[in-house]
Amino acid sequence: MSLLTVGHRGVMGVEPENTLRSFVRAEREGFDVIELDLHLSKDGALVVMHDADVSRTTDGSGAIGDFTLAELREFDAGEGERIPVFQEVVEAVRSPLQAEIKDRAAARVLAGAITELGLHDRVTVISFHDEALRETRTHLPDMPLVLVTGRSTPTAPERARELGAFMVSCELRWLEAETVERCHADGIKVITWTVNTDEELARVRELGLDGIVTDMPEIKRAARRAS
């Protein structure tokens, strides 16, 4: 069975993360799914950025929520790219998307955008936060959900089952065979982040996982060759 390949923040190992340039490159590289992160700007726009603060990935500084979208657009997000909003990504690529939400407020806005743009069959909502996934389920009862876990990975099967998530995306260093077995026993798929080396890919194979999240096009190609 072939591994699902997810481009992390586009393809952030070779392009500025969470930019249109990165997402277009990920699609060109042939990833099955493209992952992105969402926050709300001061004026309620669905801004595509991982951190709650703009400092790491732009030439600005400060919290996203302290800026309007117009103000955020003034920042350079790398290679001259501007911070995109969710709809721009939807229009720039045709690939399926994993949209990671950070809080309940963003979940409500994303649910509205999915409904307005007719994206139920193209977008999967993912989050570390159970309450954000519950909020999504309230607005979109049939929406596919993915629970993301780090240190809490050993509890992933039970939490995913309670949330009605069809998949978990677990940090590789916390993932053990027993957790994978419990997920699979409940019909829950398991993918892992972030797989950027051949050794990590070998561990994925050893664990019998369903997919990988990677920053690197060459790891995607290696995963396909091994399938």
Side-chain angles (χ1 to χ4, degrees):
M1 183 181 297
S2 62
L3 287 171
L4 182 77
T5 59
V6 181
H8 192 211
R9 307 177 201 170
V11 59
M12 64 175 284
V14 292
E15 299 288 358
E17 68 179 67
N18 277 324
T19 62
L20 294 183
R21 173 174 172 147
S22 188
F23 300 131
V24 170
R25 173 74 178 272
E27 183 165 79
R28 189 167 71 244
E29 294 285 353
F31 282 89
D32 297 314
V33 181
I34 298 171
E35 185 264 354
L36 55 84
D37 305 280
L38 295 171
H39 287 274
L40 293 181
S41 65
K42 185 177 182 179
D43 48 350
L46 273 175
V47 175
V48 181
M49 183 174 285
H50 179 269
D51 300 358
D53 189 286
V54 303
S55 304
R56 182 178 62 84
T57 55
T58 79
D59 59 352
S61 63
I64 292 174
D66 290 341
F67 296 101
T68 65
L69 177 58
E71 291 168 335
L72 289 168
R73 295 287 207 191
E74 297 297 317
F75 302 140
D76 187 329
E79 304 289 342
E81 290 288 304
R82 300 298 156 182
I83 300 170
V85 293
F86 178 66
Q87 185 169 347
E88 289 174 328
V89 182
V90 169
E91 293 169 351
V93 297
R94 296 181 178 273
S95 300
L97 303 173
Q98 285 188 354
E100 182 176 337
I101 47 179
K102 304 298 187 181
D103 57 40
R104 293 181 65 175
R108 288 191 293 273
V109 177
L110 176 60
I114 288 170
T115 300
E116 180 182 348
L117 299 171
L119 298 172
H120 297 79
D121 296 331
R122 188 176 159 203
V123 174
T124 300
V125 177
I126 76 174
S127 186
F128 279 93
H129 306 293
D130 297 34
E131 65 273 15
L133 294 176
R134 290 192 189 98
E135 184 74 19
T136 299
R137 181 68 75 210
T138 297
H139 297 283
L140 300 170
D142 299 322
M143 195 71 207
L145 303 178
V146 176
L147 174 67
V148 187
T149 63
R151 191 181 293 269
S152 66
T153 288
T155 67
E158 294 73 27
R159 291 169 62 203
R161 187 169 58 245
E162 188 270 329
L163 291 163
F166 82 100
M167 177 184 285
V168 291
S169 182
C170 303
E171 188 174 6
L172 184 58
R173 64 174 168 160
W174 303 111
L175 191 54
E176 299 295 340
E178 185 266 343
T179 304
V180 178
E181 290 165 5
R182 285 190 289 127
C183 284
H184 284 167
D186 283 339
I188 298 166
K189 294 184 177 181
V190 186
I191 65 174
T192 191
W193 55 276
T194 307
V195 178
N196 287 333
T197 67
D198 290 336
E199 291 77 17
E200 289 165 343
L201 186 57
R203 176 61 174 160
V204 167
R205 294 292 183 192
E206 181 184 348
L207 289 169
L209 303 187
D210 302 292
I212 61 169
V213 182
T214 182
D215 304 330
M216 308 303 295
E218 59 265 30
I219 294 298
K220 188 274 298 181
R221 291 191 285 270
R224 288 287 174 79
R225 286 195 300 271
S227 296

